[in-house]
C-alpha cells in the first residue's frame, strides 16, 4: 500500500469517527447498527481494515454519501508492475486484435505461420496461436477451413 493510500484511509477513518461522534454514537452503538465488531470499527477509524463492504455499510448507517470521500482525483497507477510474460501476452493480444478487427490481413485466408510472421513471433508459438485464432472463430470474428493437418483463417463476412 502506498503512502498516499494510507493517508486516504486515515482520512476516511477520521471522517467516519467525526460523524459517529456528531451522532453521539459509541463504537458499541455503531457496532449494533452495522453488525461490524467494535475492534474492526476502531481499526477503520484509525485507517486500517476497511473493506468495500464495510465502507458502504458505514456510509449507509452514518448517512454519508460515498462520493464525498473522493472529491480529489485519485492517481491511476498500480502499486506493482506486471511480470514480463504478462506484459508480452497483453501486447501480443493487442496486436492480434488489431490484425483481426482493424486490418484487412484476414480478408485473405491465412495460416498460423503467416500470422506469426506478420507479428514477428517465433514459430515455436504456433500451437498457442492456433488456440487464440480458434477463439476468434468462436467469437464469430473469423472462420476457419481445415486443410489436412493445418487450418486457414479468414475474416467472417
Amino acid at each position: 500500500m502506498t503512502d498516499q493510500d494510507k493517508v486516504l484511509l486515515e482520512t476516511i477513518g477520521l471522517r467516519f469517527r467525526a460523524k459517529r461522534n456528531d451522532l453521539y454514537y459509541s463504537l458499541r452503538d455503531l457496532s449494533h447498527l452495522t453488525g461490524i465488531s467494535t475492534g474492526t470499527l476502531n481499526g477503520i477509524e484509525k485507517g486500517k481494515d476497511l473493506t468495500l463492504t464495510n465502507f458502504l455499510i458505514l456510509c449507509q448507517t452514518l448517512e454519508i454519501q460515498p462520493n464525498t470521500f473522493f472529491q480529489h482525483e485519485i492517481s491511476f497507477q498500480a502499486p506493482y508492475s506486471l511480470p514480463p510474460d504478462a506484459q508480452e501476452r497483453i501486447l501480443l493480444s493487442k496486436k492480434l486484435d488489431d490484425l483481426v478487427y482493424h486490418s484487412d490481413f484476414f480478408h485473405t485466408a491465412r495460416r498460423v505461420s503467416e500470422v506469426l510472421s506478420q507479428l514477428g513471433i517465433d514459430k515455436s508459438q504456433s500451437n498457442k496461436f492456433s488456440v487464440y485464432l480458434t477463439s476468434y472463430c468462436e467469437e464469430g470474428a473469423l472462420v476457419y477451413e481445415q486443410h489436412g493437418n493445418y487450418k486457414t483463417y479468414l475474416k467472417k463476412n
Side-chain angles (χ1 to χ4, degrees):
M1 179 180 309
T2 66
D3 289 341
Q4 185 178 5
D5 294 338
K6 288 177 185 175
V7 168
L8 179 60
L9 287 175
E10 288 170 1
T11 302
I12 291 170
L14 290 172
R15 194 104 176 253
F16 282 142
R17 177 182 293 149
K19 182 66 174 188
R20 176 177 63 78
N21 288 333
D22 286 348
L23 295 170
Y24 297 95
Y25 291 158
S26 67
L27 282 173
R28 177 171 278 164
D29 295 333
L30 191 56
S31 177
H32 286 295
L33 290 168
T34 62
I36 302 170
S37 74
T38 56
T40 299
L41 289 169
N42 189 40
I44 290 169
E45 290 184 354
K46 291 180 179 178
K48 299 174 180 16
D49 303 326
L50 183 60
T51 65
L52 182 57
T53 301
N54 287 345
F55 174 79
L56 294 173
I57 289 169
L58 287 168
C59 285
Q60 291 169 334
T61 304
L62 297 172
E63 298 178 8
I64 301 173
Q65 287 297 327
N67 64 348
T68 62
F69 289 101
F70 305 106
Q71 294 175 1
H72 303 287
E73 295 285 321
I74 295 174
S75 111
F76 295 127
Q77 183 174 357
Y80 306 102
S81 61
L82 289 170
D85 61 324
Q87 291 176 16
E88 181 180 341
R89 176 187 48 77
I90 291 167
L91 180 62
L92 290 176
S93 294
K94 287 179 182 180
K95 287 181 178 181
L96 191 54
D97 267 4
D98 283 344
L99 274 185
V100 172
Y101 297 114
H102 307 294
S103 78
D104 53 1
F105 181 77
F106 283 103
H107 286 162
T108 304
R110 303 292 185 160
R111 294 178 65 168
V112 173
S113 61
E114 293 174 276
V115 175
L116 294 173
S117 177
Q118 180 72 18
L119 295 174
I121 297 169
D122 184 71
K123 292 187 184 207
S124 66
Q125 303 281 335
S126 64
N127 287 342
K128 184 189 323 182
F129 272 81
S130 292
V131 172
Y132 290 162
L133 292 171
T134 299
S135 71
Y136 285 100
C137 294
E138 291 169 357
E139 292 172 6
L142 298 176
V143 294
Y144 72 88
E145 187 175 309
Q146 189 73 43
H147 302 277
N149 63 350
Y150 71 91
K151 296 176 184 175
T152 56
Y153 298 87
L154 183 66
K155 194 168 229 170
K156 189 173 182 177
N157 291 332

